[in-house]
Amino acid sequence: RSARVVAFIAVAALTIVIYWGGLHGPFLIDDIPNLDTIQRWVEGRLNWRSAIDNRSGPLGRSVSMLSFLADAARSGTMDPATFKTTNLVVHIACGALSYVFCRQVFRRMDSTRQVASVCALFVAAWWLLIPLHVSTVLYIVQRMAQLGAFFTLLGLTTYVAIRQRMERGSSTILMLTLWTVFPLIVGIGALAKENA
């Protein structure tokens, strides 16, 4: 287990090194219009509830906007590096969840049971290092998509974990957990971005 943890930490560290130069880039494309309410909150012209109001999607994406508000509160400014650093943390968290989820799935199949950890680590490394994700990590407003992915992966991981426990012995508590926690995660994900 410690070897797997060290390997994942090494991949995460490599991911940080690769993204480091891009963390200090400017706001891009529709970052500014989507973060306008956050800017007005920083300037003291809006309360926090108004600041998280976003019209990008039908549900308002309040979870994503709340995360942007937390970044602005933490730095006290609209520093792009603060926002992009959080995006990188979310990206690494998604990589960790992809590892857990894939390991759960690979361990269930006879053909991959013996190599489940290695295969899951490969998938997580692929997730973290694939160039396609550069636009999601370094384009601040795409945190909405990142958080949608995070809650989707968290929901899948939670679902499989609960189902595996139910296979060993179903109980009312497990059933209630499945029917409350899983929909809750999906709901929070939809408030980050509707495609979750």
Side-chain angles (χ1 to χ4, degrees):
R1 182 175 186 171
S2 59
R4 293 194 309 261
V5 170
V6 168
F8 183 83
I9 290 171
V11 172
L14 179 59
T15 303
I16 292 169
V17 168
I18 289 170
Y19 280 97
W20 190 259
L23 296 180
H24 304 287
F27 290 107
L28 300 169
I29 311 170
D30 62 344
D31 284 342
I32 293 171
N34 276 287
L35 299 175
D36 177 62
T37 57
I38 305 298
Q39 174 70 48
R40 288 189 280 155
W41 178 82
V42 167
E43 294 167 354
R45 296 187 293 144
L46 279 180
N47 63 36
W48 73 270
R49 286 190 178 127
S50 298
I52 64 169
D53 186 29
N54 184 280
R55 304 282 187 235
S56 292
L59 298 179
R61 301 181 184 176
S62 56
V63 169
S64 295
M65 294 304 292
L66 198 56
S67 76
F68 293 135
L69 186 71
D71 284 345
R74 192 176 77 229
S75 69
T77 65
M78 291 295 288
D79 177 27
T82 302
F83 291 87
K84 292 183 182 197
T85 300
T86 301
N87 281 13
L88 181 56
V89 169
V90 173
H91 180 59
I92 292 170
C94 285
L97 283 172
S98 70
Y99 169 81
V100 173
F101 175 65
C102 289
R103 187 167 182 270
Q104 287 173 325
V105 172
F106 292 145
R107 289 182 73 190
R108 294 185 62 81
M109 297 183 289
D110 290 336
S111 60
T112 56
R113 185 170 293 124
Q114 298 300 319
V115 291
S117 296
V118 173
C119 291
L121 186 59
F122 175 78
V123 171
W126 184 258
W127 177 280
L128 290 172
L129 301 174
I130 189 170
L132 177 68
H133 288 151
V134 170
S135 62
T136 323
V137 175
L138 298 180
Y139 180 17
I140 295 166
V141 80
Q142 288 303 312
R143 181 177 313 160
M144 295 174 181
Q146 284 187 297
L147 288 174
F150 174 84
F151 285 106
T152 299
L153 288 164
L154 181 61
L156 290 168
T157 302
T158 302
Y159 178 82
V160 172
I162 293 170
R163 289 294 304 196
Q164 286 175 334
R165 291 195 68 190
M166 288 174 72
E167 287 172 3
R168 287 184 233 126
S170 186
S171 75
T172 305
I173 291 173
L174 286 173
M175 188 65 74
L176 286 172
T177 303
L178 180 65
W179 287 99
T180 55
V181 173
F182 181 72
L184 180 65
I185 292 169
V186 171
I188 294 170
L191 292 173
K193 189 168 183 181
E194 294 78 8
N195 63 353

